[in-house]
Amino acid sequence: MLPYEVRDACVQTTLEEANMTGILDLPYETMVAIFKHLEPVDDILTRLALVCLKWHDLLYCSGTLWKTINIDTTYYKSLHFRLVVGIFHFYGHHVQKLVWRENTTVYESIFSCLPRLKNLKVLRIPVLWTNRVIDDMCLLTGLENIQINGGFTLTDGHLFEIAKCLTNLKTVTLNACWRITINGVIAIVPNLQFLENVHLKVNSNLPLTDGRSETAIRNGLHIMKGLVFEPICNLVSVLCLHFVSMETEELLDVVKNLKNLFKLSISNCEHFHGIRLESDSLQKLCVFNIWSTTFISVHSPRLRQVTMDAGMESIERVEIFAENLRRAILNGSNSLRTLQIKSDKLIFLELCHSELIDKGCFRDVLRSNIKISRLRLGCISQDSLTLDENLIPCLQELCLLSDFSCEALHIRSPAIRLLHTKVEHDIITLHHLYIKANHLCKVALVGLPALKTVTVQCVSVDCIELNLCSDDQLHIESFVVHALNAIGFLRLFDCRVKMLVVSAQLAQTIVLYRCQMTDYVLQMALGGCSNISHLNLEKCTEICDVNISMRPLQYLNMYECTSLHRLSLDCPQLIAVNLGQCSNVKMYLRGVEQRLSGVAVPFRLVEPAKPIRWSHNFPPQEYRC
């Protein structure tokens, strides 16, 4: 987020430009459409009211601009309170949804301003509901959606009092209410005739060091068992279970009876030998930190997303039968052995920490879900992995995670567009990479210190980047890029290359930054692609004698090639050459030696004494060191 001084300057500049273009004469509807792109708090929308009377009236009367207020106090400090109070005072009658970011500061004085929000319908505020907070909230009788954070303070009696005052509630979220019981949950239903959804987060963030936690855990179990009865069983749409000791069959019975359950999250629950779920309404499932569970079996036709996170040390088998499943994120905790997913719509699959998974099982999952277009892979039990059009025909994006463990990766897919790594730690196992595709948008490989050979064969590629933002030198035995049509952008950082082959009808930009190679390797690379527009050999300190004959070459950057002593050029379309910090170089144009100062050449020349660097884009931009 920008500092206020920068924002003020930007706003002032924008207003000056606006006045010049007649923006003040635009219709109200057009101005409202423009102002909708600004956040009331983050972008200080209130300051626009100071521009002119027309804007002042527009902001005051346009309720859509103030309908939703999102508040994040992280960057505002003292100014934040005055800004929020100002919005509540002048525009509070428009506010319908007020949401504080979790774990941010809420000033106590803000509660005195809440009664101004006459039309407030949705309220999420990260404070503990004490007696004073309850008294202030009960004045907002128009509320339809609230989140109640109870802690050890809120009791069944308080919950009943809230239900009597806020009779228009449609959605109630009970978050971290460690003291309430099933009786309190059931008692609020008769008083809320419009109630449609109840979100129960049982024992979320429960402090186990507190002596009252044992009582909270027992209450949580009783709440779970009581959800099978009407009318509460028809209202619960979100259920999060933490530190609830249940048996497998008990959980199955509860979930079956929750006819409108939309989301289920389970964590830190003991006594689960396995998790078996059957639901006609469940759409989102999240499971993590259940150490005793050995299997997960889910049958849910409407399920759309599954997340199995870390902490499942005993898990061995996962089976998911969901026709509408679109997204699956599975962490095998290095114990998962068999996986079965049956879905007609799965497009995103992430599988990591699954070093014991059966090889045939993994391939069957891919074959059974042919619509997978995004695949994120970590550790699987294979030394060499081949992904082709027969195994995963719709694959468009492949991401290698930090725990990826294969030594060789072969990709043969006409549909693939993006290959990249997402690493917190280096992937030390991958040695060989082979890609065959039609059109590649981007190949971005970072954090692969053991990589030895790279081969890319395609019709065209927009961007290839290797070892970017890494100070560790990468030793490449062979780097081959063969594109039938064009290469848009090829960039290698800190690579020692023994063989470099670049073959394409046209290559717009080739960047070899701090790469170590012999003159012969460079000449062989340039010989395979003679149609380069921008060639950047910045800080390639081992090259000495370079001979370049390329008709379309426009920009040549040899900045800080300190060993370069001879540069021979035959490039009729050259626009600029950078020889900055090349103190011993001699330049030849069509075999004729040129003086590097005081003599006009048919292109712009950065002389060796000038420390001017170029950017890597096309056309390159200059900046001084």
Side-chain angles (χ1 to χ4, degrees):
M1 188 160 303
L2 294 174
Y4 278 102
E5 295 78 4
V6 178
R7 285 192 172 195
D8 291 344
C10 294
V11 169
Q12 184 62 32
T13 303
T14 303
L15 295 179
E16 292 174 358
E17 294 175 351
N19 287 329
M20 295 175 61
T21 57
I23 194 173
L24 295 178
D25 298 326
L26 291 175
Y28 277 88
E29 295 79 7
T30 305
M31 294 304 306
V32 171
I34 295 173
F35 290 167
K36 278 184 179 179
H37 294 280
L38 301 176
E39 286 289 332
V41 178
D42 291 349
D43 298 315
I44 321 179
L45 187 59
T46 55
R47 295 195 176 185
L48 296 181
L50 304 176
V51 175
C52 63
L53 183 60
K54 178 179 179 180
W55 284 18
H56 176 277
D57 295 341
L58 183 148
L59 291 174
Y60 186 78
C61 299
S62 300
T64 56
L65 299 177
W66 312 100
K67 185 176 180 180
T68 301
I69 305 294
N70 294 299
I71 299 177
D72 183 352
T73 62
T74 306
Y75 303 100
Y76 291 99
K77 299 182 180 179
S78 60
L79 181 61
H80 166 265
F81 178 74
R82 298 198 301 272
L83 177 62
V84 172
V85 169
I87 292 176
F88 288 176
H89 180 76
F90 292 103
Y91 311 105
H93 57 288
H94 294 308
V95 178
Q96 296 184 24
K97 183 177 180 180
L98 180 60
V99 178
W100 258 264
R101 181 175 177 268
E102 294 293 336
N103 302 317
T104 55
T105 303
V106 179
Y107 293 95
E108 187 176 358
S109 303
I110 207 72
F111 293 103
S112 62
C113 303
L114 290 180
R116 293 181 177 274
L117 311 182
K118 301 295 184 181
N119 296 309
L120 188 64
K121 299 183 183 302
V122 180
L123 177 63
R124 294 175 62 91
I125 183 168
V127 297
L128 187 65
W129 281 52
T130 60
N131 288 329
R132 178 183 174 181
V133 172
I134 293 173
D135 292 340
D136 291 330
M137 296 302 179
C138 286
L139 299 176
L140 304 173
T141 55
L143 279 175
E144 297 179 357
N145 186 329
I146 60 169
Q147 174 175 308
I148 301 174
N149 308 299
F152 286 116
T153 302
L154 192 75
T155 64
D156 292 347
H158 292 136
L159 199 58
F160 187 71
E161 180 182 347
I162 295 171
K164 287 196 301 182
C165 298
L166 306 180
T167 56
N168 292 317
L169 287 176
K170 295 181 179 179
T171 301
V172 177
T173 301
L174 299 178
N175 177 55
C177 298
W178 307 319
R179 197 174 169 184
I180 65 169
T181 66
I182 185 59
N183 296 327
V185 175
I186 295 177
I188 67 173
V189 176
N191 293 319
L192 302 176
Q193 56 179 335
F194 301 109
L195 189 62
E196 299 174 353
N197 295 291
V198 175
H199 300 173
L200 276 177
K201 300 182 180 181
V202 180
N203 293 337
S204 58
N205 302 315
L206 179 67
L208 296 182
T209 55
D210 193 296
R212 295 169 290 183
S213 62
E214 290 293 334
T215 302
I217 292 174
R218 288 195 298 269
N219 289 341
L221 178 59
H222 294 151
I223 290 174
M224 275 296 300
K225 292 181 177 180
L227 295 180
V228 298
F229 302 109
E230 293 185 353
I232 192 65
C233 66
N234 298 319
L235 297 174
V236 176
S237 58
V238 175
L239 180 61
C240 300
L241 303 177
H242 309 276
F243 304 105
V244 178
S245 299
M246 296 186 66
E247 299 293 340
T248 300
E249 298 304 320
E250 290 178 328
L251 177 63
L252 176 62
D253 291 340
V254 171
V255 174
K256 276 185 176 180
N257 282 277
L258 300 181
K259 303 302 181 182
N260 295 306
L261 184 62
F262 172 83
K263 176 184 176 181
L264 176 63
S265 176
I266 308 172
S267 71
N268 300 291
C269 294
E270 298 179 355
H271 302 156
F272 274 136
H273 173 67
I275 295 177
R276 183 180 292 108
L277 300 174
E278 294 180 11
S279 174
D280 294 330
S281 61
L282 187 63
Q283 297 188 33
K284 188 174 181 180
L285 173 65
C286 182
V287 181
F288 61 98
N289 285 347
I290 308 181
W291 308 277
S292 59
T293 296
T294 60
F295 72 90
I296 295 178
S297 177
V298 181
H299 294 254
S300 179
R302 299 183 63 186
L303 189 65
R304 298 170 61 90
Q305 179 175 336
V306 171
T307 301
M308 186 178 76
D309 215 331
M312 308 288 291
E313 281 79 1
S314 301
I315 193 72
E316 295 184 359
R317 176 169 59 91
V318 173
E319 55 182 28
I320 302 170
F321 302 94
E323 303 93 75
N324 290 302
L325 184 66
R326 297 176 181 270
R327 184 182 179 93
I329 301 174
L330 304 174
N331 185 327
S333 299
N334 292 325
S335 61
L336 182 65
R337 296 180 181 274
T338 59
L339 173 64
Q340 186 176 10
I341 300 177
K342 289 188 177 181
S343 170
D344 297 330
K345 299 181 180 180
L346 185 65
I347 60 175
F348 180 96
L349 174 62
E350 177 179 318
L351 182 63
C352 63
H353 298 288
S354 302
E355 63 181 6
L356 300 180
I357 193 169
D358 181 73
K359 182 187 299 186
C361 178
F362 171 69
R363 299 179 70 86
D364 288 342
V365 169
L366 298 182
R367 287 196 184 97
S368 302
N369 300 275
I370 60 173
K371 293 186 178 181
I372 294 177
S373 59
R374 299 179 60 194
L375 180 62
R376 295 162 62 95
L377 277 182
C379 180
I380 56 176
S381 58
Q382 299 186 39
D383 294 331
S384 178
L385 176 63
T386 299
L387 300 174
D388 56 28
E389 62 272 19
N390 296 320
L391 184 64
I392 186 165
C394 297
L395 181 63
Q396 296 185 19
E397 176 186 350
L398 175 62
C399 178
L400 306 182
L401 304 178
S402 297
D403 62 314
F404 186 78
S405 59
C406 299
E407 293 184 6
L409 176 61
H410 300 263
I411 304 171
R412 298 192 299 270
S413 173
I416 192 165
R417 297 290 182 266
L418 173 62
L419 171 65
H420 61 112
T421 57
K422 184 178 181 180
V423 294
E424 299 173 356
H425 308 286
D426 289 342
I427 300 175
I428 61 175
T429 57
L430 186 61
H431 290 77
H432 310 287
L433 175 63
Y434 175 79
I435 308 171
K436 186 176 181 181
N438 284 344
H439 175 69
L440 284 169
C441 293
K442 188 171 185 178
V443 178
L445 305 175
V446 181
L448 301 173
L451 193 62
K452 299 298 181 184
T453 61
V454 178
T455 302
V456 179
Q457 290 183 323
C458 58
V459 175
S460 61
V461 58
D462 293 340
C463 179
I464 298 178
E465 294 179 335
L466 179 64
N467 208 35
L468 200 64
C469 301
S470 174
D471 293 330
D472 296 328
Q473 192 175 69
L474 190 61
H475 294 264
I476 299 293
E477 299 288 340
S478 170
F479 191 94
V480 178
V481 180
H482 178 65
L484 294 178
N485 290 339
I487 298 173
F489 188 72
L490 172 63
R491 178 161 57 175
L492 310 185
F493 269 36
D494 292 292
C495 296
R496 177 173 289 276
V497 185
K498 290 188 177 181
M499 185 178 76
L500 177 62
V501 178
V502 180
S503 177
Q505 294 184 15
L506 177 65
Q508 185 179 74
T509 300
I510 303 292
V511 177
L512 305 176
Y513 180 77
R514 291 193 308 212
C515 289
Q516 308 301 314
M517 67 190 76
T518 63
D519 295 339
Y520 177 77
V521 171
L522 177 61
Q523 292 304 133
M524 291 300 99
L526 299 181
C529 186
S530 58
N531 294 322
I532 301 175
S533 299
H534 176 202
L535 179 60
N536 188 323
L537 302 175
E538 183 175 353
K539 297 185 179 182
C540 294
T541 56
E542 286 192 357
I543 59 175
C544 303
D545 189 344
V546 177
N547 188 349
I548 302 176
S549 178
M550 296 181 182
R551 176 168 293 276
L553 186 64
Q554 298 181 39
Y555 298 95
L556 175 62
N557 185 6
M558 307 294 297
Y559 179 82
E560 210 171 299
C561 293
T562 54
S563 299
L564 182 65
H565 62 77
R566 181 185 176 91
L567 175 63
S568 301
L569 299 176
D570 185 7
C571 308
Q573 297 186 29
L574 263 178
I575 296 175
V577 175
N578 188 345
L579 295 177
Q581 305 298 306
C582 299
S583 56
N584 300 317
V585 66
K586 292 182 179 180
M587 185 174 66
Y588 295 82
L589 297 182
R590 298 182 182 88
V592 180
E593 184 177 356
Q594 306 291 316
R595 293 178 57 187
L596 298 181
S597 61
V599 177
V601 291
F603 47 80
R604 181 163 45 90
L605 178 66
V606 177
E607 300 176 4
K610 295 182 179 180
I612 299 177
R613 296 183 61 188
W614 287 356
S615 63
H616 295 168
N617 56 302
F618 180 87
Q621 304 297 317
E622 292 186 358
Y623 60 94
R624 295 182 180 273
C625 299

